[in-house]
Amino acid sequence: HHGYNVLLAEDHGLNREIAEELLKTQGLSVSCAENGQIAVDMFKSSPPPGTYNIILMDIQMLCSLVLLQLVK
């Protein structure tokens, strides 16, 4: 999993910082989005295919379903 690119969508700042650091300690490259809309925008603007190997998001974020549809 070293070298994997992770898109982390977390709207709570402290949770985002903790998750980002934990992921980085595992050798993952992390891009953070402060909310679901930013995550959608980051995903849409990333060069396809497979910029992000993993997407972590709170399913309760309003834009999570939109992002899920884009990934499919």
Side-chain angles (χ1 to χ4, degrees):
H1 62 278
H2 281 358
Y4 276 23
N5 294 312
V6 177
L7 174 56
L8 171 65
E10 173 56 63
D11 54 357
H12 188 273
L14 182 58
N15 290 347
R16 187 173 54 251
E17 288 179 37
I18 292 168
E20 180 180 13
E21 289 306 313
L22 287 172
L23 293 167
K24 285 181 176 180
T25 64
Q26 298 303 307
L28 301 171
S29 175
V30 182
S31 299
C32 292
E34 296 172 0
N35 60 51
Q37 184 59 56
I38 292 172
V40 169
D41 294 343
M42 290 172 70
F43 184 82
K44 287 170 85 175
S45 68
S46 65
T51 297
Y52 299 109
N53 305 100
I54 303 167
I55 300 173
L56 299 175
M57 60 186 166
D58 183 344
I59 198 64
Q60 293 180 347
M61 280 188 185
L62 184 58
C63 294
S64 295
L65 295 176
V66 173
L67 186 56
L68 184 60
Q69 290 299 317
L70 288 171
V71 171
K72 287 183 176 183

